[in-house]
């Protein structure tokens, strides 16, 4: 029997118990920073040094971060299921926990790439450079002579991996959503691509903004919620 497929969509909440502030909770990153200044394409062209520093800080924080029990529980699902993780997070905690198929929807903190011209929206994957938790400053150039920029999807930019994510969700037997406020599109609309009979589990300690008969809301933090989710899975292998 082929293994059942689980698609897991994660957001900032899955990394909260690793010490990362979420974006929209009280005390979240977007209370401290103006999202339009540090995470939009217009902000990038307005003040690239500020944007580079914002992501240098995030990388510094990532250097000491460790996966938590929720990341590990998601990785362990691979023992019994065919698992794809689709994450909005730019950290590498799913990788560190051992998940093997991870699609980053909003880019990756540990990577940078040459800045393209204002009207050139594409980038070449072979020009993406892994800098780990290092820093990038104004004047740091790619081999092609262009300024390096974070390999992050800024607000106002297209989400190149969304088609792949839709395909993963549409062929899943079970959809698990962990720690996302479902406020940012197109990621927030992905659950709609799950098949009609597909159970959708949402782990989040807060109210969820979506109402759909397929949804079971596990109202808990990610680590506790994953324990609960595993109970639902016992009859599903
Ligand atoms: P948000 O900050 O919008 O939402 C975080 C969600 O996690 C909320 O629903 C919280 O209730 C929940 N949460 C908080 N603590 C949790 C815990 N311990 N366990 C489980 N859930 C918890 O973050 P995202 O939905 O990920 O994009 O935000 C989406 C995108 O907006 C991000 O990828 C980022 C941001 O701007 C870019 O920067 C492009």
């Amino acid at each position: 029997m082929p293994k059942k497929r689980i698609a897991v969509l994660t957001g900032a909440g899955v990394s909260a118990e690793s010490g990362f502030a979420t974006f929209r909770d009280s005390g979240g990153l977007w209370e401290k920073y103006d999202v339009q200044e540090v995470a939009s394409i217009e902000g990038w062209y307005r003040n690239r040094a500020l944007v580079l520093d914002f992501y240098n800080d995030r990388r510094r924080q990532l250097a000491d971060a460790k996966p938590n029990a929720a990341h590990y529980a998601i990785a362990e699902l691979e023992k019994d299921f065919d698992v794809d993780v689709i994450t909005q997070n730019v950290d590498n905690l799913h990788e560190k926990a051992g998940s093997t198929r991870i699609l980053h929807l909003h880019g990756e903190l540990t990577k940078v790439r040459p800045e393209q011209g204002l009207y050139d929206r594409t980038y070449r994957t072979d020009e993406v450079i892994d800098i780990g938790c290092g820093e990038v400053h104004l004047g740091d150039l790619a081999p092609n002579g262009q300024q390096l920029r974070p390999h992050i999807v800024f607000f106002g930019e297209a989400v190149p991996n969304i088609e792949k994510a839709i395909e993963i969700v549409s062929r899943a037997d079970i959809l698990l959503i962990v720690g996302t406020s479902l406020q940012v599109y197109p990621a927030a609309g992905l659950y709609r691509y799950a098949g009609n009979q597909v159970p959708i589990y949402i782990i989040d300690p807060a109210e969820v903004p979506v109402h759909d008969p397929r949804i079971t809301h596990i109202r808990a933090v990610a680590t506790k919620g994953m324990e609960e989710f595993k109970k639902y899975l016992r009859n599903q292998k």
Side-chain angles (χ1 to χ4, degrees):
M1 271 263 286
K3 288 176 176 175
K4 281 194 176 176
R5 293 175 198 270
I6 303 187
V8 186
L9 172 67
T10 64
V14 78
S15 296
E17 289 164 271
S18 294
F20 276 103
T22 59
F23 296 97
R24 295 174 183 78
D25 289 302
S26 125
L29 273 183
W30 297 155
E31 263 181 13
K32 294 201 195 93
Y33 299 90
D34 181 342
V35 53
Q36 290 306 324
E37 294 296 327
V38 299
S40 78
I41 187 66
E42 293 84 4
W44 170 253
Y45 285 111
R46 235 181 343 252
N47 190 343
R48 292 183 295 181
L50 181 80
V51 175
L52 287 170
D53 271 351
F54 175 74
Y55 288 103
N56 286 338
D57 280 350
R58 305 274 81 70
R59 269 185 231 105
R60 219 169 287 131
Q61 200 189 352
L62 185 61
D64 302 322
K66 293 188 177 56
N68 63 53
H71 296 103
Y72 285 115
I74 291 168
E76 277 164 21
L77 294 175
E78 292 187 19
K79 284 188 196 148
D80 297 311
F81 296 90
D82 192 357
V83 182
D84 279 281
V85 176
I86 303 166
T87 187
Q88 297 167 85
N89 297 346
V90 297
D91 65 43
N92 57 5
L93 298 182
H94 286 301
E95 283 87 347
K96 283 190 183 166
S99 284
T100 57
R101 289 211 308 263
I102 305 162
L103 184 70
H104 282 272
L105 272 186
H106 293 163
E108 292 171 75
L109 259 185
T110 53
K111 296 181 180 168
V112 294
R113 64 174 199 255
E115 172 190 44
Q116 306 288 333
L118 193 49
Y119 301 105
D120 183 357
R121 284 153 198 271
T122 58
Y123 65 86
R124 284 173 35 192
T125 47
D126 61 345
E127 288 182 335
V128 175
I129 302 167
D130 195 326
I131 59 160
C133 292
E135 298 189 3
V136 179
H137 298 280
L138 215 50
D140 290 344
L141 304 181
N144 70 1
Q146 290 179 358
Q147 169 66 44
L148 287 170
R149 60 161 275 178
H151 184 50
I152 297 282
V153 176
F154 292 137
F155 281 95
E157 293 190 303
V159 178
N161 282 336
I162 195 67
E163 295 296 332
K164 280 187 204 153
I166 289 172
E167 196 190 313
I168 291 167
V169 172
S170 57
R171 57 189 165 80
D173 299 304
I174 299 166
L175 175 61
L176 170 65
I177 299 176
V178 189
T180 169
S181 61
L182 296 170
Q183 299 292 315
V184 176
Y185 282 82
L190 273 174
Y191 79 93
R192 299 198 188 111
Y193 292 90
N196 287 339
Q197 306 303 320
V198 169
I200 302 174
Y201 296 91
I202 300 187
I203 299 176
D204 200 299
E207 197 72 55
V208 295
V210 288
H211 301 280
D212 184 303
R214 293 169 297 175
I215 292 176
T216 302
H217 182 189
I218 302 172
R219 197 162 181 167
V221 294
T223 50
K224 296 271 183 326
M226 282 304 297
E227 292 300 315
E228 198 66 24
F229 175 67
K230 282 197 274 185
K231 291 184 198 156
Y232 285 103
L233 283 184
R234 282 198 191 123
N235 305 321
Q236 297 264 1
K237 279 180 204 169

